[in-house]
Amino acid sequence: MARITEAAQAYSFSRRALVLGGLQGTAALVLAGRMTWLAVFENERYRLTAESNRVRLTLTPPRRGWIVDRNGIPIANNRTAFRVDMIPDRMEDKEKTLGMLQQILSLGEEEMARIRTDLKRASGFQPVQVSDKLDWEHFAAVSVRVPEMPGVQPTRGFSRNYPLAAGVAHLVGYVGTASAEQYKKEKDPLLVAPGFKLGKDGLEKVLEDRLRGTPGAKRVEVTAHGRLVKELATRPDQPGETVKLTIDALLQEYVARRLGTNSGSAVVIDVSNGDILAMVSMPAYDPNSFSDGISRNEWKMLSEDDHVPLMNKVLQGLYPPGSTVKPMNGLALMHAGVDPNARVVCSGAMRVGNGVFHCHKRGGHGPLDLKHAIMQSCDIYFYEMVRRVGYDAVAPMARAMGLGQKFDLPFSTQRFGTVPDSAWKLKRYKQQWTVADSLNASIGQGYVLANPLQLAVMASRLASGRELIPRLIADAPRIEAPPLAATPEQLAIIRDAMFGVINGGGTGGAARMLVPGISLAGKTGTAQVRRITMAERRSGVLKNASLPFKLRDHALLVCFAPADNPKYAAGIVLEHNGHTIRNLDTPQIGRDIMTFLFDRKRAMDSLHAEEPTWGGDYRTRMAAQSASFKAAQSAPPPEAPEDAAEAASTVASEAANATTSNTIDSSAAERGSVEAD
């Protein structure tokens, strides 16, 4: 057996000690490196984590930016709002406090159940909303008794206010609380901050980034269990941007009132630059109600109304433009080489193949040139002339006038209609274009569809001779408008004819201006939504007054003034108006709207004389309608949708689709139709 020497033992021990020491040194270096990494490089991260555990941030909703008109008059602003919140961590006797609040604020059981549920879900320092729509008396009553109710926090804040109410509903939209889907998508804590609301429709939605502002912040120190220790410094909010529109608020309100009880819309444009001065769709909803939280009864009333107050008819309504396109078609005919002095004999009807196309004047107009055909709105003239040149020669002018065009405006939805031609029909229906298609299109029926904004643009382009682009935001760049593909002489003939429509014995004599030195030029129109059978024609065509609302003709008007030096143009469409009530028909409405731009007193006097016969202004009528509807409800109404904006959009879309389905397949002529023998 070999002996281990003392030297060998010493060597073995030294080697083991060296290895062990190396391992220990390596471990020490790793630990030192890790400690250095945590203490130096990760210091900020862990400091912030520790700080976030100690200090909690509560966001304060920013004051929303105003929307003002061209003169600085507020269209959407903020009003002082009184609210009461509860801080769970500060409450001493929850049930006692809730009982006192219920008594002071007259809270219902449904509201109390909601508050209790929110208290269970909230963090200790997180405010829980009790009410955000208090009047001064209730707010003061709570404020006085705050010492008796630890944890109750009365606050003065701001809520959205729309001074013109329904008069601007479809223009500016409204605000509301964020939906659960929006929060899940954005994960922005501001969306669930008490009192915060964001744009849900119209300009409020599209301009959200400009209007929202930057939230303030309130910092509080809490324990590891989330209990409040003390309040720290706060950061004030930064209000949103004020957005100026091209709209004239006084004109906007006047137009909304002057449309009366109609289901319709009107657009007024500054001919010099394309600025939109008024954009009104009526009836409408009150955006203040939507922003504050619409009641079930009001939602049901609005969604069931056959006048479709939830639909923005200016941009989403599509209608056959009827005879309002005849001046434009006349321009296209001259551009295609038709002599404006050439005459067509109107006998009241025109046979094409096995079909008969009727003029609105049963006995006919006799021989007419272009000017008098426009003045008398003769269908036979346009049937014959468009048959000669083909509608493919007219369609380019219609597009140049704005029909079928989608404009760059701050709205999320815009339906731009149809300007048909042979290529369009072949692509859409896989069918060849026919002579009957040309004849129907020649009088603004058949496949031709336009929205009211496009009709106003058409009027502004006829008035200016340029391809004006409508503009709504005052600081948006103006686009230089090129001239139309028409000579000054051709435009003069059309404007003279439109002058004659109103002032020379034409079909729009009721629109004659009463302002000395100011003349209106325009073109009336009627668009059928039903087919008139030959049997009905033989026995007598039913008058609109005897038809159900949805079967009555649409009434239209395009106009500009002064006729000799245009400054303003307008387009008006009244759904199912049927020309049944003179002071609610397009000629007098157009006359009064234009009068307001030149003589406001005269226009207001006319309005004040007529408005009582309609049940008062739109605010008065809406209040009466709401009270009547509420009284008529015997069964509990359905729940209002969680997101009224989405539901309103659905209702509007369905209504718009219904409008399109009523008109796109229509091949009836204005106050007449093509019938087989």
Side-chain angles (χ1 to χ4, degrees):
M1 182 175 177
R3 294 180 60 188
I4 299 176
T5 65
E6 186 177 343
Q9 287 180 332
Y11 174 76
S12 176
F13 177 79
S14 298
R15 186 177 59 183
R16 290 174 184 172
L18 184 63
V19 171
L20 184 59
L23 291 174
Q24 290 176 333
T26 301
L29 287 174
V30 171
L31 289 173
R34 179 61 177 167
M35 291 177 65
T36 301
W37 174 261
L38 293 174
V40 178
F41 298 103
E42 292 285 288
N43 175 270
E44 183 65 15
R45 174 189 167 193
Y46 286 103
R47 187 187 69 78
L48 291 174
T49 301
E51 180 71 6
S52 67
N53 289 332
R54 183 183 71 87
V55 178
R56 300 294 175 88
L57 202 66
T58 301
L59 295 178
T60 303
R63 287 161 290 175
R64 199 165 178 81
W66 287 22
I67 300 175
V68 301
D69 84 334
R70 64 193 300 112
N71 300 309
I73 298 174
I75 292 176
N77 58 8
N78 304 311
R79 56 181 170 81
T80 302
F82 301 107
R83 60 181 295 119
V84 172
D85 297 313
M86 302 177 72
I87 311 299
D89 191 51
R90 295 182 180 179
M91 297 177 67
E92 295 178 358
D93 187 335
K94 183 175 74 173
E95 289 304 320
K96 178 183 176 183
T97 301
L98 286 174
M100 293 178 68
L101 286 174
Q102 183 177 18
Q103 182 181 13
I104 296 171
L105 301 179
S106 302
L107 300 174
E109 290 302 323
E110 184 179 347
E111 193 67 13
M112 293 300 295
R114 192 270 305 166
I115 295 170
R116 286 190 170 91
T117 300
D118 290 348
L119 284 171
K120 290 178 182 178
R121 295 175 178 173
S123 302
F125 62 90
Q126 192 174 40
V128 170
Q129 176 182 304
V130 176
S131 177
D132 64 345
K133 294 180 288 187
L134 295 181
D135 55 30
W136 167 250
E137 287 74 15
H138 285 95
F139 178 78
V142 173
S143 300
V144 168
R145 302 188 67 177
V146 161
E148 305 173 46
M149 299 182 291
V152 173
Q153 180 176 285
T155 308
R156 292 191 187 196
F158 296 93
S159 63
R160 206 56 164 165
N161 179 54
Y162 304 94
L164 299 185
V168 295
H170 293 295
L171 174 66
V172 299
Y174 63 96
V175 298
T177 56
S179 65
E181 290 73 19
Q182 285 174 307
Y183 179 70
K184 289 176 183 177
K185 180 181 178 181
E186 299 183 27
K187 299 295 184 182
D188 185 347
L190 177 62
L191 298 182
V192 293
F196 175 74
K197 294 181 180 179
L198 74 167
K200 290 283 190 174
D201 195 20
L203 296 179
E204 291 278 26
K205 180 178 180 179
V206 177
L207 301 177
E208 176 67 23
D209 290 343
R210 297 180 64 177
L211 295 170
R212 178 179 293 190
T214 304
K218 185 183 294 183
R219 298 170 68 241
V220 294
E221 184 177 346
V222 296
T223 66
H225 297 288
R227 294 187 63 82
L228 181 67
V229 176
K230 64 179 178 179
E231 292 187 358
L232 304 176
T234 61
R235 181 187 70 201
D237 69 293
Q238 295 181 5
E241 180 183 343
T242 294
V243 177
K244 178 180 283 191
L245 306 182
T246 61
I247 294 292
D248 181 330
L250 299 180
L251 176 65
Q252 178 82 11
E253 181 179 32
Y254 183 85
V255 173
R257 292 175 64 180
R258 188 58 187 84
L259 287 175
T261 57
N262 280 298
S263 172
S265 54
V267 179
V268 182
I269 294 178
D270 186 330
V271 170
S272 67
N273 52 26
D275 284 358
I276 299 175
L277 302 179
M279 179 185 282
V280 180
S281 175
M282 295 298 284
Y285 57 88
D286 184 351
N288 293 298
S289 295
F290 269 59
S291 298
D292 291 338
I294 187 171
S295 67
R296 296 189 184 98
N297 264 334
E298 187 173 359
W299 170 258
K300 188 171 188 291
M301 178 186 71
L302 291 170
S303 59
E304 293 179 357
D305 193 333
D306 63 359
H307 283 38
V308 201
L310 296 174
M311 177 182 172
N312 182 352
K313 300 175 181 71
V314 170
L315 297 176
Q316 292 178 280
L318 294 179
Y319 312 92
S323 292
T324 61
V325 300
K326 287 175 179 174
M328 174 192 73
N329 288 353
L331 202 61
L333 290 172
M334 288 188 287
H335 188 69
V338 172
D339 181 358
N341 296 312
R343 293 177 175 241
V344 170
V345 177
C346 171
S347 62
M350 174 179 176
R351 179 176 292 276
V352 177
N354 65 344
V356 177
F357 286 76
H358 296 270
C359 186
H360 72 88
K361 186 175 182 181
R362 189 170 185 175
H365 292 97
L368 293 172
D369 59 11
L370 175 59
K371 174 184 174 180
H372 290 87
I374 293 174
M375 288 174 56
Q376 300 302 321
S377 199
C378 178
D379 298 331
I380 301 301
Y381 177 93
F382 287 93
Y383 290 155
E384 174 60 26
M385 287 303 187
V386 173
R387 184 188 65 79
R388 293 180 189 178
V389 303
Y391 194 75
D392 280 2
V394 177
M397 182 63 74
R399 297 187 184 103
M401 287 293 177
L403 271 64
Q405 186 173 353
K406 186 174 182 178
F407 303 108
D408 185 18
L409 294 172
F411 293 96
S412 56
T413 55
Q414 190 179 153
R415 308 181 78 206
F416 44 94
T418 307
V419 176
D421 56 20
S422 57
W424 173 87
K425 186 179 180 184
L426 188 62
K427 181 179 178 181
R428 176 75 180 268
Y429 295 107
K430 305 297 187 290
Q431 296 176 0
Q432 296 295 322
W433 188 264
T434 67
V435 174
D437 293 330
S438 290
L439 270 56
N440 281 314
S442 74
I443 59 167
Q445 294 273 176
Y447 298 116
V448 185
L449 291 172
N451 67 38
L453 174 62
Q454 292 168 342
L455 296 180
V457 169
M458 178 180 71
S460 72
R461 292 181 179 182
L462 285 170
S464 67
R466 296 177 293 133
E467 294 186 24
L468 290 174
I469 301 297
R471 193 178 71 125
L472 186 62
I473 306 298
D475 59 9
R478 284 196 175 96
I479 299 174
E480 187 65 29
L484 293 170
T487 66
E489 292 76 19
Q490 291 170 343
L491 286 167
I493 291 171
I494 297 302
R495 291 171 189 154
D496 185 40
M498 294 178 74
F499 173 86
V501 168
I502 309 296
N503 306 282
T507 57
R512 185 175 299 175
M513 296 274 285
L514 303 178
V515 180
I518 303 294
S519 297
L520 183 69
K523 183 69 190 77
T524 55
T526 305
Q528 283 184 200
V529 297
R530 70 187 186 98
R531 189 179 182 89
I532 300 175
T533 65
M534 184 58 74
E536 183 184 343
R537 194 175 294 282
R538 291 193 186 102
S539 61
V541 177
L542 294 174
K543 301 295 184 182
N544 278 288
S546 62
L547 292 171
F549 173 73
K550 287 292 186 180
L551 295 181
R552 296 175 185 172
D553 299 338
H554 299 318
L556 307 94
L557 174 71
V558 295
C559 59
F560 55 82
D564 55 350
N565 183 25
K567 293 183 178 179
Y568 308 107
I572 303 168
V573 178
L574 306 179
E575 290 184 341
H576 310 293
N577 171 274
H579 308 290
T580 53
I581 301 175
R582 187 175 177 83
N583 65 9
L584 286 172
D585 201 359
T586 50
Q588 288 195 13
I589 291 175
R591 176 201 69 189
D592 286 353
I593 289 173
M594 284 297 175
T595 298
F596 185 87
L597 290 162
F598 297 99
D599 188 339
R600 293 190 176 183
K601 183 181 183 305
R602 188 186 296 268
M604 291 304 300
D605 288 344
S606 175
L607 179 64
H608 290 152
E610 306 289 356
E611 207 167 38
T613 66
W614 312 326
D617 63 15
Y618 58 83
R619 292 181 178 86
T620 304
R621 293 197 307 273
M622 287 178 67
Q625 181 187 13
S626 180
S628 176
F629 186 87
K630 186 176 181 180
Q633 296 305 294
S634 55
E639 293 285 337
E642 179 181 343
D643 192 331
E646 182 178 349
S649 178
T650 301
V651 172
S653 179
E654 291 174 353
N657 290 334
T659 300
T660 303
S661 66
N662 282 339
T663 56
I664 195 166
D665 294 326
S666 170
S667 58
E670 179 185 358
R671 295 190 180 178
S673 63
V674 55
E675 300 294 346
D677 286 338

